Amino acid sequence: MKLAYVIAPGRGKTNLLLAGVAEALATHGRSLCGTVQLDTERAEDHHCDMDVLVLPDGPKIRISQFLGADARGCKLNPEALETAVGQTEERLKAGADLLIVNKFGKQEAEGRGFREAVGEALARDIPAIIGVSEGSRDAFMAFVGDAEQLAPEHDAVLAWALEATQ
């Protein structure tokens, strides 16, 4: 089982790391499946827009919903997330060199989201890299049992992925 996860300190840093690694892997000819998250800050209403790019080539899906100027933080739209999950699962059936999941978060901790896609990739012996938040680490480890934690550095994650997909 080739399964790794990464936790980058700082808001949005794991998203940037995995998006950069996905781009580098594509230039190395790797067939990717999954999602990377692209956030757009909106300081005027203390909100950010969260989009995921379904790998390898889209679509880009808005997974956040605006709940008003007084809402705190970004608010997940679970239906939009499930659309991205469904597209990932369909593409996974066609095969891939690597699955990247931008985040094992609350949805996955509660048994939804990308859990089945991760399980399917592992059952098909497709390596996977998962972004994990510090708050979801225990739920992630309970789900997978064991995974290699990677240093939150582009070169370290890229090297693991290149080796895992040889």
Side-chain angles (χ1 to χ4, degrees), residues 49-80:
D49 292 326
M50 298 184 303
D51 298 309
V52 292
L53 177 67
V54 179
L55 298 171
D57 53 8
K60 186 164 85 170
I61 299 171
R62 171 88 14 107
I63 62 166
S64 60
Q65 53 189 333
F66 182 64
L67 299 177
D70 295 327
R72 301 286 246 184
C74 300
K75 303 299 179 194
L76 179 68
N77 178 337
E79 291 81 20

Side-chain angles (χ1 to χ4, degrees), residues 6 17-18 20-21 24-25 28 129 150-163:
V6 63
L17 173 63
L18 290 177
V21 168
L25 287 167
H28 284 298
I129 299 175
L150 302 175
E153 301 163 356
H154 177 86
D155 290 345
V157 177
L158 180 60
W160 184 93
L162 289 171
E163 183 176 323

